[in-house]
Amino acid sequence: MSIAFFLTGTMAMLSSYFAPERLQYRLRWLFGAGAFAFIIGIGIVSTAMRQEKSAFIFANEAKAYIGIVEDIPQEKPKTQAYKVYLPDYDKQVVCYVQRDSVGNKYLQPGDELFFYGKIQPFRNMGNPDDFDYERYMYNQGFAGSVYLPREAWQASGEVFSSPEYLALRCRTYIMDFYKSLGLNHMEYSILCGLTLGYKDELTDDIKQGFRTTGTVHVLSTSGLHVMIIYLMISFLLGFIRKGARYYALRPILIILLLWCYAFVTGLSPSVVRASIMLTVFCVSEVARRRNTSLNALYTAAFFILLYNPFSLFNIGFQLSFMSVLSILHLQPKASRIFYIENKYLNELWQMFTLSLVAQLATFPICLYYFGTFPTYFFAANLVIVPLVSLIIYTMGVVVAAKVFSLLIGISLYSLPLSVLQGLVWAMTGVISFFESLPFALISDAKVSSLQLVLIFILILSFLLFFLKKNSKGLIAGLTAALFLLATGIYDNLQEDPNQLIVFNRPGKTEILYDEISINSENIKPYQYLDVEGETILVLSENLFQNQVADEKLAISHLILINDKAHSLYHLSQLFSVRNVILDGSLPSYVRHRLSKECKKLNIPCHDVAENGAYTLNF
């Protein structure tokens, strides 16, 4: 299909170029249409290449592999997760390395390792309303995962030195530098998030506080951070005056340093977008060509999606571009609604409108993915964003003072470090304050894809009416609001089915029916339920090992949990079982044995660890 688009586009552009002079103006659209078709062909090829990279192709057996570590490991309860590139297969996988085998020494980005294991595809747990982890990892470009015990891997000692690996090692050195400052874990983790976009060190409580207040974006390196870095670089290069002989070096140096920062932070979509936009500005300045923010934004989107079309499904990409697009289109218009003469009040109004239009564009996406909305987002951002700017500026001063102290042998960074710690504590105090307010977070407000489209139509229609005074916008907005209300009423009128759910929780038990909850903390030896003619027996202990029965008891659904000694051969002598469900708390070898017993006894069996959660509708 891509060849057809390439040929069609090429023919259309050539036809426009070689058309007779008298027809060139009439056929001027051919070049644009041909270029559009050609770009579609490029997109098809790029998408196919990304799909091939994420496809699972590994054998269903353990094999030896050579890999290259691609990032700093993520700490898990019992393992360390490494992103590893397999050059022989051109695939990315996640290696879960047993923690004891690593100790305190991490493999660094670029380190080569040999390992032996069975690479498995990513699978969802199959629980209702669970996050689609399989699709997420596919879009991230990972083909599978493997668990490596201490004896299954070994570092080769060879180190690869590509620019990306060097940048990630540089990030590691910066993180080690932060540790050398004597910061506590909270301060260290927040600084890693604010300046480097590394959030693995953050505790769940800190992350939740930022989510509740609508300020979680400051923990992900984004356009805000890139702009602050841009202003810092511009200030440091301020001695190169405009009109000077070597002034062209200034934008070139800015571009180089911006992309160095982008590499160090891991090339997240928001940083790449901001870096491309500022690069376009700098290039246009060197070339003395006029440029607009929207052109720079569209250029950034084009190159990001050209390199990786799957970025379109990245939530950070969607939120970043929607917020910037809204700011560029709407913020100038919104700020002119009221004219404020006072300079400081006007700055406050500008910040209010900027935050408002950004949230206006992103809150439907947040409702769709997360079902939450931070109530005090504006007030929190009004305080947090300036604090983040001050923290980053102060961090730059601390770094400069630390380096200068090492050169002269006298400690000069104690004062700026104290100021930095004070700013971090002030920011966390503000977060805690807003988080403690009543109704700080509206939850359970998730919308469907249809409702998402209707919300966007509603917003755009009313904006068209208020800004352009177009009556059609009002009609379209009211129509969208009517349909949105109708879908909400329809959803509320739909009665939730009466269900029993056996969740897939590795090593744990979770069974839910109405107000009855059976979990690892309240397990009883057995529990019997009779629901609308369906008999359900939850058995957690091998209670009937030495018992016999004159007549079998009919059981519709037998749920086996916890005990390794369960035997279907013996239970089938006591019960007439129609269906067996194996819980995730059973070890894999026990579930495998019981599944084979069910097969021999011709009893249907559902293993939640293999087939996902079991749902029984009444």
Side-chain angles (χ1 to χ4, degrees), residues 46 60 65 116 136 141 143 188 255 303-304 310 338 347 349 367 391 439 500 521 579 602 608:
S46 180
N60 189 28
Y65 298 93
Y116 182 84
Y136 172 78
Y188 167 75
I255 291 172
F303 282 109
I304 291 174
F310 285 177
F338 296 107
E347 288 293 328
W349 171 247
L367 290 180
I391 288 171
F439 309 108
L500 181 141
E521 283 72 36
N579 187 31
N602 200 27
V608 297

Side-chain angles (χ1 to χ4, degrees), residues 209-270:
F210 280 94
R211 292 191 196 103
T212 302
T213 55
T215 56
V216 70
H217 61 91
V218 303
L219 294 175
S220 301
T221 46
S222 61
L224 169 67
H225 303 74
V226 176
M227 181 56 68
I228 294 172
I229 298 298
Y230 172 79
L231 293 174
M232 291 175 65
I233 296 171
S234 298
F235 174 76
L236 294 174
L237 297 177
F239 63 91
I240 306 178
R241 300 293 180 182
K242 193 169 185 177
R245 184 178 178 182
Y246 301 106
Y247 180 74
L249 286 175
R250 185 173 184 270
I252 294 174
L253 289 173
I254 290 175
I255 291 172
L256 291 174
L257 292 173
L258 278 177
W259 281 103
C260 285
Y261 176 71
F263 270 106
V264 169
T265 56
L267 292 174
S268 66
S270 54

